[in-house]
Amino acid sequence: MTDEPLRLITWPDPITIESLGQAIGDLHGLRVVVEPIPSRLRHAQVTGLVVVVGEVAHVYYDDDLPPLNRLQAVMHEYAHILHRDVVASAPAVCARTTFSDPKEARAEATGMELLAEVRMRRQRFDVLDFLGGTDGRS
């Protein structure tokens, strides 16, 4: 069952895109940085990407995506960190492209579960507020 890893998270309060990423990163000794995909890494079929360099997980998203799709891409990349598809001790890159690969399908399912859990835990959920880092309590 994919929701098992969600139970490992020490859920931050307030939950923001950054605080959730860090809570997931903390499980595996990673500092998580979320930012748009650099132009040199852009590709039409890549909407999200996680690259681990040392102990930093760079979670990239396509900033041309609509807000909900951008959020789904970030959650998918968080799922790769949560499932230890990328770790500090081994170089790895995961990209959100197609879901025919079992690892990508698992990350997509877990990413959607992360999003559902965030929506349940926040008193008010607005995609733009969440992406912008506000805590949703207003």
Short mmCIF file of all heavy atoms in Angstrom, two decimals, residues 99-131:
data_model
loop_
_atom_site.label_atom_id
_atom_site.label_comp_id
_atom_site.label_asym_id
_atom_site.label_seq_id
_atom_site.Cartn_x
_atom_site.Cartn_y
_atom_site.Cartn_z
N PHE A 99 4.35 7.31 -16.88
CA PHE A 99 4.17 6.50 -15.68
C PHE A 99 4.16 5.01 -15.99
O PHE A 99 3.64 4.21 -15.23
CB PHE A 99 2.89 6.93 -14.96
CG PHE A 99 2.88 8.41 -14.71
CD1 PHE A 99 1.89 9.20 -15.25
CD2 PHE A 99 3.88 9.01 -13.97
CE1 PHE A 99 1.89 10.57 -15.04
CE2 PHE A 99 3.89 10.38 -13.76
CZ PHE A 99 2.89 11.16 -14.29
N SER A 100 4.75 4.61 -17.12
CA SER A 100 4.81 3.19 -17.46
C SER A 100 5.84 2.47 -16.59
O SER A 100 5.73 1.26 -16.39
CB SER A 100 5.12 3.00 -18.94
OG SER A 100 6.34 3.63 -19.27
N ASP A 101 6.83 3.18 -16.08
CA ASP A 101 7.81 2.59 -15.18
C ASP A 101 7.18 2.42 -13.79
O ASP A 101 6.53 3.34 -13.30
CB ASP A 101 9.03 3.53 -15.09
CG ASP A 101 10.07 3.05 -14.12
OD1 ASP A 101 9.94 3.35 -12.91
OD2 ASP A 101 11.02 2.39 -14.55
N PRO A 102 7.33 1.26 -13.15
CA PRO A 102 6.69 1.03 -11.84
C PRO A 102 7.09 2.06 -10.78
O PRO A 102 6.26 2.47 -9.96
CB PRO A 102 7.16 -0.37 -11.44
CG PRO A 102 7.53 -1.04 -12.71
CD PRO A 102 8.01 0.06 -13.63
N LYS A 103 8.33 2.50 -10.79
CA LYS A 103 8.78 3.50 -9.82
C LYS A 103 8.06 4.83 -10.03
O LYS A 103 7.67 5.50 -9.09
CB LYS A 103 10.29 3.70 -9.94
CG LYS A 103 10.88 4.54 -8.85
CD LYS A 103 12.36 4.87 -9.02
CE LYS A 103 13.21 3.78 -9.56
NZ LYS A 103 14.63 4.15 -9.66
N GLU A 104 7.87 5.18 -11.30
CA GLU A 104 7.16 6.43 -11.62
C GLU A 104 5.68 6.32 -11.26
O GLU A 104 5.09 7.27 -10.74
CB GLU A 104 7.35 6.80 -13.09
CG GLU A 104 8.76 7.19 -13.45
CD GLU A 104 9.28 8.37 -12.64
OE1 GLU A 104 8.53 9.35 -12.44
OE2 GLU A 104 10.44 8.31 -12.21
N ALA A 105 5.08 5.18 -11.54
CA ALA A 105 3.66 4.98 -11.19
C ALA A 105 3.48 5.04 -9.68
O ALA A 105 2.52 5.65 -9.19
CB ALA A 105 3.17 3.65 -11.73
N ARG A 106 4.40 4.44 -8.92
CA ARG A 106 4.32 4.47 -7.46
C ARG A 106 4.46 5.91 -6.95
O ARG A 106 3.72 6.35 -6.08
CB ARG A 106 5.41 3.58 -6.85
CG ARG A 106 5.38 3.55 -5.33
CD ARG A 106 6.59 2.87 -4.76
NE ARG A 106 7.77 3.67 -5.08
CZ ARG A 106 9.01 3.23 -5.01
NH1 ARG A 106 9.28 2.01 -4.66
NH2 ARG A 106 10.02 4.03 -5.32
N ALA A 107 5.41 6.64 -7.53
CA ALA A 107 5.61 8.03 -7.10
C ALA A 107 4.38 8.88 -7.42
O ALA A 107 4.01 9.75 -6.64
CB ALA A 107 6.86 8.62 -7.75
N GLU A 108 3.74 8.62 -8.55
CA GLU A 108 2.54 9.38 -8.89
C GLU A 108 1.42 9.10 -7.89
O GLU A 108 0.73 10.00 -7.43
CB GLU A 108 2.10 9.06 -10.32
CG GLU A 108 1.00 9.95 -10.83
CD GLU A 108 1.38 11.41 -10.98
OE1 GLU A 108 2.58 11.77 -10.87
OE2 GLU A 108 0.46 12.23 -11.20
N ALA A 109 1.23 7.82 -7.56
CA ALA A 109 0.19 7.46 -6.59
C ALA A 109 0.49 8.07 -5.22
O ALA A 109 -0.40 8.65 -4.58
CB ALA A 109 0.07 5.94 -6.47
N THR A 110 1.71 7.99 -4.78
CA THR A 110 2.08 8.56 -3.48
C THR A 110 1.97 10.08 -3.50
O THR A 110 1.52 10.69 -2.53
CB THR A 110 3.50 8.13 -3.07
OG1 THR A 110 3.56 6.71 -3.00
CG2 THR A 110 3.89 8.72 -1.71
N GLY A 111 2.35 10.69 -4.61
CA GLY A 111 2.22 12.15 -4.73
C GLY A 111 0.78 12.60 -4.60
O GLY A 111 0.48 13.59 -3.93
N MET A 112 -0.13 11.85 -5.19
CA MET A 112 -1.55 12.18 -5.07
C MET A 112 -2.04 11.98 -3.64
O MET A 112 -2.86 12.74 -3.13
CB MET A 112 -2.39 11.36 -6.05
CG MET A 112 -2.09 11.69 -7.52
SD MET A 112 -2.22 13.44 -7.93
CE MET A 112 -3.98 13.66 -7.75
N GLU A 113 -1.53 10.95 -2.97
CA GLU A 113 -1.89 10.73 -1.56
C GLU A 113 -1.33 11.85 -0.68
O GLU A 113 -2.00 12.27 0.27
CB GLU A 113 -1.39 9.36 -1.10
CG GLU A 113 -2.17 8.23 -1.73
CD GLU A 113 -1.57 6.86 -1.44
OE1 GLU A 113 -0.60 6.76 -0.68
OE2 GLU A 113 -2.10 5.88 -2.00
N LEU A 114 -0.12 12.31 -0.98
CA LEU A 114 0.44 13.46 -0.24
C LEU A 114 -0.47 14.67 -0.39
O LEU A 114 -0.78 15.35 0.60
CB LEU A 114 1.83 13.81 -0.75
CG LEU A 114 3.00 13.01 -0.24
CD1 LEU A 114 4.25 13.29 -1.08
CD2 LEU A 114 3.26 13.32 1.23
N LEU A 115 -0.88 14.95 -1.62
CA LEU A 115 -1.75 16.09 -1.87
C LEU A 115 -3.07 15.95 -1.11
O LEU A 115 -3.54 16.91 -0.49
CB LEU A 115 -2.00 16.24 -3.37
CG LEU A 115 -2.86 17.42 -3.81
CD1 LEU A 115 -2.33 18.72 -3.27
CD2 LEU A 115 -2.95 17.44 -5.33
N ALA A 116 -3.67 14.76 -1.12
CA ALA A 116 -4.92 14.54 -0.39
C ALA A 116 -4.72 14.74 1.11
O ALA A 116 -5.57 15.33 1.78
CB ALA A 116 -5.45 13.13 -0.68
N GLU A 117 -3.61 14.26 1.64
CA GLU A 117 -3.33 14.41 3.07
C GLU A 117 -3.13 15.88 3.44
O GLU A 117 -3.62 16.35 4.46
CB GLU A 117 -2.08 13.59 3.44
CG GLU A 117 -1.78 13.57 4.91
CD GLU A 117 -2.75 12.73 5.73
OE1 GLU A 117 -3.45 11.87 5.17
OE2 GLU A 117 -2.80 12.95 6.96
N VAL A 118 -2.42 16.62 2.59
CA VAL A 118 -2.23 18.06 2.83
C VAL A 118 -3.57 18.77 2.85
O VAL A 118 -3.85 19.56 3.75
CB VAL A 118 -1.29 18.68 1.77
CG1 VAL A 118 -1.35 20.20 1.81
CG2 VAL A 118 0.13 18.18 1.96
N ARG A 119 -4.41 18.46 1.88
CA ARG A 119 -5.74 19.09 1.83
C ARG A 119 -6.55 18.79 3.08
O ARG A 119 -7.26 19.64 3.60
CB ARG A 119 -6.51 18.65 0.59
CG ARG A 119 -5.91 19.21 -0.68
CD ARG A 119 -6.75 18.91 -1.88
NE ARG A 119 -7.98 19.68 -1.78
CZ ARG A 119 -9.11 19.33 -2.37
NH1 ARG A 119 -9.17 18.23 -3.09
NH2 ARG A 119 -10.19 20.07 -2.25
N MET A 120 -6.44 17.56 3.59
CA MET A 120 -7.19 17.17 4.78
C MET A 120 -6.64 17.89 6.04
O MET A 120 -7.40 18.29 6.90
CB MET A 120 -7.10 15.65 4.99
CG MET A 120 -7.93 15.15 6.15
SD MET A 120 -7.72 13.39 6.42
CE MET A 120 -6.09 13.35 7.14
N ARG A 121 -5.32 18.06 6.11
CA ARG A 121 -4.69 18.62 7.30
C ARG A 121 -4.76 20.15 7.37
O ARG A 121 -4.62 20.71 8.45
CB ARG A 121 -3.23 18.19 7.40
CG ARG A 121 -3.07 16.73 7.76
CD ARG A 121 -1.61 16.30 7.71
NE ARG A 121 -1.47 14.93 8.11
CZ ARG A 121 -1.22 14.52 9.34
NH1 ARG A 121 -1.07 15.40 10.30
NH2 ARG A 121 -1.11 13.24 9.62
N ARG A 122 -4.93 20.79 6.25
CA ARG A 122 -5.02 22.25 6.25
C ARG A 122 -6.48 22.65 6.43
O ARG A 122 -7.37 22.06 5.84
CB ARG A 122 -4.46 22.83 4.96
CG ARG A 122 -2.94 22.73 4.91
CD ARG A 122 -2.39 23.20 3.59
NE ARG A 122 -2.79 24.54 3.23
CZ ARG A 122 -1.96 25.58 3.14
NH1 ARG A 122 -0.70 25.42 3.42
NH2 ARG A 122 -2.40 26.76 2.78
N GLN A 123 -6.71 23.69 7.22
CA GLN A 123 -8.08 24.15 7.44
C GLN A 123 -8.70 24.71 6.17
O GLN A 123 -9.88 24.55 5.92
CB GLN A 123 -8.09 25.21 8.54
CG GLN A 123 -7.71 24.64 9.88
CD GLN A 123 -7.59 25.74 10.92
OE1 GLN A 123 -7.75 26.92 10.64
NE2 GLN A 123 -7.29 25.34 12.15
N ARG A 124 -7.90 25.36 5.39
CA ARG A 124 -8.34 25.94 4.13
C ARG A 124 -7.26 25.63 3.12
O ARG A 124 -6.08 25.76 3.41
CB ARG A 124 -8.51 27.45 4.26
CG ARG A 124 -9.07 28.12 3.04
CD ARG A 124 -9.24 29.62 3.27
NE ARG A 124 -7.98 30.31 3.38
CZ ARG A 124 -7.24 30.70 2.35
NH1 ARG A 124 -7.62 30.45 1.13
NH2 ARG A 124 -6.11 31.34 2.54
N PHE A 125 -7.61 25.16 1.94
CA PHE A 125 -6.61 24.80 0.94
C PHE A 125 -6.84 25.57 -0.34
O PHE A 125 -7.91 25.50 -0.94
CB PHE A 125 -6.63 23.30 0.64
CG PHE A 125 -5.53 22.90 -0.30
CD1 PHE A 125 -4.24 22.71 0.18
CD2 PHE A 125 -5.77 22.74 -1.65
CE1 PHE A 125 -3.21 22.36 -0.68
CE2 PHE A 125 -4.75 22.38 -2.51
CZ PHE A 125 -3.48 22.19 -2.02
N ASP A 126 -5.85 26.31 -0.74
CA ASP A 126 -5.85 27.02 -2.01
C ASP A 126 -4.51 26.72 -2.66
O ASP A 126 -3.46 26.95 -2.04
CB ASP A 126 -6.03 28.52 -1.76
CG ASP A 126 -5.99 29.31 -3.06
OD1 ASP A 126 -4.87 29.59 -3.53
OD2 ASP A 126 -7.07 29.63 -3.58
N VAL A 127 -4.52 26.21 -3.86
CA VAL A 127 -3.28 25.79 -4.53
C VAL A 127 -2.29 26.94 -4.60
O VAL A 127 -1.11 26.77 -4.29
CB VAL A 127 -3.58 25.24 -5.94
CG1 VAL A 127 -2.30 25.01 -6.72
CG2 VAL A 127 -4.39 23.97 -5.86
N LEU A 128 -2.75 28.13 -4.97
CA LEU A 128 -1.83 29.25 -5.11
C LEU A 128 -1.24 29.66 -3.76
O LEU A 128 -0.06 29.98 -3.68
CB LEU A 128 -2.53 30.44 -5.78
CG LEU A 128 -2.94 30.18 -7.24
CD1 LEU A 128 -3.71 31.38 -7.78
CD2 LEU A 128 -1.74 29.87 -8.10
N ASP A 129 -2.06 29.67 -2.70
CA ASP A 129 -1.52 29.97 -1.37
C ASP A 129 -0.48 28.94 -0.97
O ASP A 129 0.57 29.27 -0.44
CB ASP A 129 -2.62 29.96 -0.30
CG ASP A 129 -3.51 31.20 -0.37
OD1 ASP A 129 -3.14 32.17 -1.05
OD2 ASP A 129 -4.57 31.16 0.26
N PHE A 130 -0.77 27.66 -1.21
CA PHE A 130 0.15 26.60 -0.83
C PHE A 130 1.46 26.72 -1.58
O PHE A 130 2.54 26.62 -1.00
CB PHE A 130 -0.50 25.24 -1.09
CG PHE A 130 0.30 24.08 -0.53
CD1 PHE A 130 0.43 23.92 0.84
CD2 PHE A 130 0.90 23.18 -1.37
CE1 PHE A 130 1.17 22.86 1.36
CE2 PHE A 130 1.63 22.12 -0.86
CZ PHE A 130 1.77 21.96 0.50
N LEU A 131 1.39 26.94 -2.89
CA LEU A 131 2.62 27.10 -3.67
C LEU A 131 3.39 28.35 -3.25
O LEU A 131 4.60 28.39 -3.33
CB LEU A 131 2.29 27.16 -5.16
CG LEU A 131 1.91 25.84 -5.80
CD1 LEU A 131 1.38 26.05 -7.20
CD2 LEU A 131 3.09 24.87 -5.81
#
